[in-house]
Amino acid sequence: MDIRIRGARENNLKSVDVDIADGLTVVTGISGSGKTSLVFDTMYHEARRRFLDVFRSSSSRVRMPPANVRSLTGIGPTIAVEQNLLNLNPLSTLASASGLHPFFRLLYARFGIRYCVTCGASLQVLTEDEIISLINEKLRRTRVEVASSLVQSVKGSHKMLLELLVDEFGSERVLVDGVPWDRKDLISEEPHDISILLGRFDSKSRTSEVRDSIRKAYELGSDSVLVSYNDTSRNLSLSSVCSQCGTWFSNVESKHFGMKCIHCEGKGCEKCNHSGLHQMAANVLWEGRSFPELLTLTVSEVHDIFNNVQLPTTAKRLKSEISRRIEALMTVGLGYIQLDRSSPSLSRGESQRVRLAISLTSRLEDIVHVLDEPTIGQHPADVAKLMPSFRKLLGPVVVVEHDRVAASHADRVIDLGPEAGDNGGKIVFTGTPQGLWKADTKTGHYFSLREHVPTLKSHPEPDEFIRISGATKHNLKEISVDMPVSRLTVITGVSGSGKSTLVQHVLVPTLETGKPVGCKSIEGKKLRPVMVDQKPIGKNPRSNPGTYTKLSDIIRDLYASETGLSASHFSFNRPEGACPTCQGMGAVEVKMRYLPSIWITCSDCDGQRYNEEVLQSRIKFKERDLSIADFYNLSISEVHSILTQDTRLSESKRKSVESILDALVTIGLGYLKLGQSSPSLSGGEAQRIKLAKYLGKKSLSSKLLILDEPSTGLHPYDLFGLLSVLDRLVKEGATIVVIEHNTDIIKSADWLIDLGPSAGPDGGEVLY
């Protein structure tokens, strides 16, 4: 059944009507045209609200507000794979986040080979049937002797024991140190082995005879039986005791592989073989590797192991579950990442693809999946491999995207526009990718290559460089690269080729510490590295573009001078101005018993954050009377047109306002609300707000600005604004290094470094 949306008016949507069928649907459009409002704020929000209503008690009056839509039918349970949901738990790794860790623990506990902590011998307790099966297999090719081990490496004459055994079994069956006892006294100062020969068997022997001999060993209370064939002997344990030294051991459990060593608290010591694991887990190997050693491998390496390993039939289900998860990680292009890689160190694109891999392993059907730019951080070659994997998801898949390669794989495309903000919010095209390529829309023009992003004029040839020599961190192959000063350098390559390693783990720490980190040396101008990353702006959810850029200080002062209230009244972070019910958050937290908390719009301030006194204080801007909440609800473009011409501001404040707003509009963020909360901003939007802050700054010549995928969230139509800002920063003296896959940004670079040829161990070389 199709999802039918009628009369969607969320944010800037203009009463949108649209149907979404099974298969892969790509929703595209210029930045700020209403894509997120349609897919996440309308469709996903309403699906989540209906789902949570199932868990709401009948007595509860607290409910999520419905989406602003006339009707929405055909929607089922929906899973959102967003780019802002990052796993910041330092204890989380790729193995644990993908669900592989508990299965690996079970694999080692049930099918690993244990070794004695005392003598290092293999520990394996076999059942009666398993021992008989092993003996019968040997009997097909050779004769076998079976003996019951009674004493192992124990000093003494053992005279009384030997006399009793001879009376019971005869001297020819009593073996001392591997040979029949000759009735001579043993040297008591030396250790001796004593066993009873239970039988000699050949290919004509019956299984019942073999079984009788094994049962005799049990009757003697023996801990092991000695099986000898072709000058070879194997001690097989009948109980939880080492067959070589007699050390008793208890059963190892999967939980032990998640516990720290009690002696070193996980730091690694001799008693845990330097693994940091519980002592019982530290002495278990599988395929010749300890548990920590397996986790140091990449997904691709583990994939190869499981394709070739032979496990018992009892491990069939376990192998299936592990293989499904590894295949999913391979499918989404994460084969180059090590299983013990910390989750916080993953990029936004990698984190998102981990969650996508989890969805691919799910057996749930008729689930709607909505994804926010899943091609982030992907080389064009990797995008073509990733998109077909979405068809493995059982149910409708809706993807918000700006990538033309991704759009070309869709069954259906929905294009929103025609512009951003209030001039957008309409569906300008719906149909097949082939139809979009012919459509007279901005997306159609750029995706069909009828229009191109203008390329920046190249700067003069650089005459000063930073040189990194002998970089060997992670997968880098002792490479040496030059990066020009006061120029735009773009580093590209397939996912996992070593781009982030070179910049974030070699260049940045080396410049910060003044010492080579992950390389042999660095030469050139001493620059201060500044990571313009995609982390949320500010330190808490109260942050927004206004507070981050300090525009709010100027706005508060203006409202204070015009209304007679203090500037503190116009801050929702201060008790003078904040709504007393929600403390200036604009929403109240509702804790759920079995699910994460939800936030409900504050009914007292209607989400405006301020108290009644402040909301009633309004000032005039051109033809409009606006409260402070109304002002923060304006788009940055609207604020630009109002505030830059306001004569009530001093000349210095007006210039400051104009500089900040010009930068935000130029970089393509004019559609954002000035008071839009930090958590609702995409990573790309947060990064561009940070970047705009540096325009017009002094002393840029001493700074190295580093950006990772700044094209995230940008339509090709908006890219030139970003390029213009980068160009202005370079002209003001900044040295800029960009990690990027977007070909339009690559074409505008002053200097290009291409790493490859592949990912992981097969990458880390300079191709260009």
Side-chain angles (χ1 to χ4, degrees):
M1 180 180 179
D2 290 356
I3 300 170
R4 297 169 60 86
I5 301 174
R6 295 292 180 266
R9 298 183 182 86
E10 198 69 46
N11 298 327
N12 69 331
L13 297 179
K14 306 296 193 298
S15 192
V16 166
D17 297 342
V18 68
D19 294 346
I20 297 175
D22 278 347
L24 177 59
T25 299
V26 166
V27 180
T28 188
I30 68 172
S31 306
S33 59
K35 304 180 297 297
T36 299
S37 296
L38 176 64
V39 176
F40 287 93
D41 297 340
T42 300
M43 189 176 75
Y44 173 63
H45 174 88
E46 187 62 15
R48 184 166 182 258
R49 182 188 70 82
R50 296 177 187 181
F51 177 74
L52 291 177
D53 270 356
V54 175
F55 297 91
R56 185 177 62 89
S57 64
S58 58
S59 61
S60 174
R61 293 182 294 175
V62 179
R63 298 184 63 182
M64 284 184 70
N68 190 356
V69 60
R70 187 170 69 252
S71 68
L72 199 164
T73 59
I75 188 76
T78 302
I79 294 174
V81 184
E82 302 177 74
Q83 56 173 283
N84 274 2
L85 296 177
L86 304 178
N87 187 342
L88 301 180
N89 182 354
L91 299 180
S92 174
T93 64
L94 177 62
S96 60
S98 63
L100 280 169
H101 204 274
F103 289 106
F104 283 147
R105 295 202 304 262
L106 193 59
L107 174 72
Y108 270 74
R110 296 292 178 266
F111 303 100
I113 299 177
R114 296 182 65 183
Y115 292 89
C116 179
V117 296
T118 303
C119 68
S122 172
L123 302 178
Q124 192 174 17
V125 180
L126 301 178
T127 65
E128 178 182 307
D129 288 335
E130 287 173 328
I131 295 175
I132 292 170
S133 176
L134 187 149
I135 293 174
N136 283 337
E137 181 183 348
K138 301 300 179 185
L139 287 175
R140 296 171 187 166
R141 297 184 295 272
T142 186
R143 295 172 60 88
V144 174
E145 285 188 356
V146 177
S148 174
S149 181
L150 300 180
V151 174
Q152 295 179 1
S153 301
V154 178
K155 294 180 180 180
S157 63
H158 307 290
K159 186 173 183 180
M160 184 175 294
L161 173 62
L162 290 171
E163 292 291 348
L164 290 172
L165 291 176
V166 168
D167 291 342
E168 179 70 23
F169 298 101
S171 59
E172 70 280 357
R173 295 179 62 187
V174 177
L175 307 179
V176 176
D177 298 330
V179 296
W181 184 40
D182 57 8
R183 289 185 173 269
K184 294 181 179 179
D185 292 340
L186 304 182
I187 301 174
S188 59
E189 291 79 12
E190 295 180 0
H192 299 283
D193 295 336
I194 300 175
S195 56
I196 300 296
L197 180 62
L198 299 176
R200 294 185 176 92
F201 308 101
D202 55 27
S203 57
K204 297 179 181 179
S205 300
R206 296 192 302 274
T207 300
S208 60
E209 295 174 337
V210 177
R211 186 178 299 276
D212 288 343
S213 67
I214 302 302
R215 289 180 175 175
K216 188 64 175 179
Y218 280 109
E219 292 172 2
L220 289 169
S222 177
D223 294 324
S224 64
V225 293
L226 184 67
V227 179
S228 304
Y229 52 91
N230 293 340
D231 298 325
T232 300
S233 297
R234 286 187 62 184
N235 235 331
L236 306 178
S237 291
L238 301 176
S239 56
S240 300
V241 61
C242 177
S243 58
Q244 297 295 326
C245 67
T247 300
W248 284 85
F249 58 92
S250 56
N251 291 333
V252 65
E253 300 178 26
S254 60
K255 67 179 182 181
H256 291 132
F257 294 91
M259 298 169 64
K260 295 179 180 179
C261 172
I262 59 175
H263 302 287
C264 65
E265 291 297 321
K267 297 178 182 178
C269 62
E270 289 187 11
K271 292 186 177 180
C272 62
N273 294 331
H274 304 286
S275 66
L277 287 178
H278 188 283
Q279 193 171 3
M280 292 184 66
N283 290 282
V284 181
L285 300 183
W286 180 78
E287 290 293 299
R289 293 181 175 88
S290 67
F291 191 74
E293 287 172 342
L294 180 74
L295 297 181
T296 61
L297 302 178
T298 65
V299 173
S300 180
E301 289 170 333
V302 176
H303 178 265
D304 291 340
I305 290 174
F306 274 85
N307 275 348
N308 299 308
V309 72
Q310 296 293 324
L311 287 173
T313 54
T314 51
K316 183 178 180 180
R317 175 67 185 277
L318 179 60
K319 182 181 179 183
S320 172
E321 293 295 334
I322 293 174
S323 297
R324 285 178 63 244
R325 285 159 176 78
I326 293 174
E327 288 289 349
L329 292 171
M330 292 290 293
T331 298
V332 299
L334 296 177
Y336 60 91
I337 299 181
Q338 291 176 300
L339 291 170
D340 61 356
R341 173 87 171 266
S342 171
S343 291
S345 72
L346 297 175
S347 69
R348 285 176 179 266
E350 290 168 340
S351 296
Q352 191 179 30
R353 294 199 295 279
V354 171
R355 297 196 301 276
L356 176 59
I358 295 172
S359 294
L360 288 172
T361 62
S362 172
R363 293 182 173 87
L364 297 176
E365 298 185 8
D366 297 324
I367 299 291
V368 181
H369 287 83
V370 293
L371 299 95
D372 189 11
E373 293 199 80
T375 61
I376 292 173
Q378 291 275 66
H379 190 275
D382 299 316
V383 173
K385 298 176 184 177
L386 173 66
M387 293 304 293
S389 66
F390 297 154
R391 300 188 183 281
K392 297 179 181 179
L393 296 172
L394 303 176
V397 180
V398 183
V399 180
V400 176
E401 260 298 349
H402 294 115
D403 188 276
R404 65 183 298 271
V405 176
S408 68
H409 285 79
D411 298 313
R412 190 164 179 264
V413 180
I414 299 172
D415 188 16
L416 278 86
E419 302 290 342
D422 288 338
N423 295 320
K426 299 178 181 178
I427 291 182
V428 294
F429 173 83
T430 179
T432 64
Q434 294 78 10
L436 177 62
W437 265 234
K438 300 175 183 178
D440 187 22
T441 67
K442 287 183 171 62
T443 303
H445 285 209
Y446 280 94
F447 280 15
S448 64
L449 303 182
R450 285 175 282 166
E451 285 191 44
H452 298 272
V453 178
T455 303
L456 295 176
K457 292 182 180 179
S458 59
H459 300 104
E461 286 288 325
D463 54 10
E464 188 177 9
F465 291 86
I466 297 173
R467 180 171 181 79
I468 298 174
S469 300
T472 56
K473 189 75 172 179
H474 295 156
N475 67 332
L476 297 179
K477 306 294 196 317
E478 202 169 347
I479 62 173
S480 299
V481 294
D482 294 327
M483 297 181 188
V485 176
S486 298
R487 295 293 186 273
L488 172 59
T489 298
V490 174
I491 301 177
T492 187
V494 298
S495 302
S497 58
K499 306 181 296 297
S500 297
T501 296
L502 176 62
V503 175
Q504 298 178 16
H505 300 288
V506 176
L507 176 61
V508 171
T510 296
L511 291 175
E512 287 178 339
T513 61
K515 301 176 182 179
V517 176
C519 64
K520 290 182 178 178
S521 64
I522 186 168
E523 303 171 9
K525 186 175 182 179
K526 304 299 182 184
L527 298 175
R528 184 170 72 85
V530 178
M531 286 294 299
V532 187
D533 55 33
Q534 298 188 3
K535 294 179 181 178
I537 58 173
K539 297 181 179 180
N540 58 60
R542 296 175 182 269
S543 298
N544 58 49
T547 58
Y548 183 78
T549 58
K550 304 301 181 184
L551 276 173
S552 58
D553 295 343
I554 298 173
I555 296 167
R556 285 198 296 267
D557 289 343
L558 176 60
Y559 268 84
S561 65
E562 292 295 310
T563 63
L565 297 176
S566 69
S568 296
H569 278 83
F570 297 98
S571 170
F572 49 71
N573 292 320
R574 300 281 297 177
E576 298 95 321
C579 167
T581 303
C582 64
Q583 307 299 313
M585 291 294 291
V588 292
E589 183 181 14
V590 178
K591 295 186 179 296
M592 306 291 287
R593 181 172 297 179
Y594 305 110
L595 296 168
S597 298
I598 61 174
W599 288 83
I600 305 296
T601 301
C602 177
S603 58
D604 287 353
C605 67
D606 198 24
Q608 297 184 88
R609 298 190 173 205
Y610 295 92
N611 61 39
E612 188 64 29
E613 180 186 17
V614 173
L615 290 175
Q616 288 179 353
S617 302
R618 311 170 77 86
I619 64 176
K620 198 173 188 65
F621 292 94
K622 294 184 178 179
E623 303 301 322
R624 305 164 72 178
D625 283 333
L626 302 174
S627 70
I628 185 71
D630 295 332
F631 195 89
Y632 276 121
N633 201 40
L634 296 175
S635 70
I636 289 174
S637 292
E638 290 176 303
V639 174
H640 182 276
S641 65
I642 292 174
L643 213 54
T644 55
Q645 306 298 323
D646 199 307
T647 56
R648 291 169 292 188
L649 296 177
S650 66
E651 186 64 23
S652 62
K653 285 186 176 180
R654 192 159 58 247
K655 284 185 178 180
S656 177
V657 165
E658 188 172 3
S659 174
I660 295 170
L661 292 175
D662 277 349
L664 291 172
V665 171
T666 301
I667 209 166
L669 296 175
Y671 62 91
L672 289 181
K673 302 292 185 184
L674 183 64
Q676 189 163 332
S677 64
S678 172
S680 68
L681 297 171
S682 70
E685 289 168 341
Q687 184 183 48
R688 291 193 291 280
I689 291 173
K690 295 175 184 179
L691 184 62
K693 199 176 177 182
Y694 286 95
L695 282 176
K697 292 279 187 179
K698 297 179 181 179
S699 303
L700 281 178
S701 60
S702 64
K703 291 183 174 62
L704 171 66
L705 303 183
I706 299 165
L707 296 90
D708 191 356
E709 300 282 344
S711 66
T712 300
L714 279 180
H715 189 277
Y717 174 78
D718 305 299
L719 271 177
F720 187 67
L722 170 63
L723 291 172
S724 299
V725 170
L726 295 177
D727 185 53
R728 284 177 57 184
L729 289 168
V730 168
K731 288 178 178 177
E732 292 171 5
T735 301
I736 301 179
V737 174
V738 173
I739 299 172
E740 189 54 88
H741 294 112
N742 187 286
T743 54
D744 293 306
I745 293 181
I746 292 172
K747 286 189 294 186
S748 293
D750 297 312
W751 196 262
L752 186 64
I753 299 172
D754 187 23
L755 300 182
S758 297
D762 298 324
E765 300 177 21
V766 178
L767 303 182
Y768 179 82

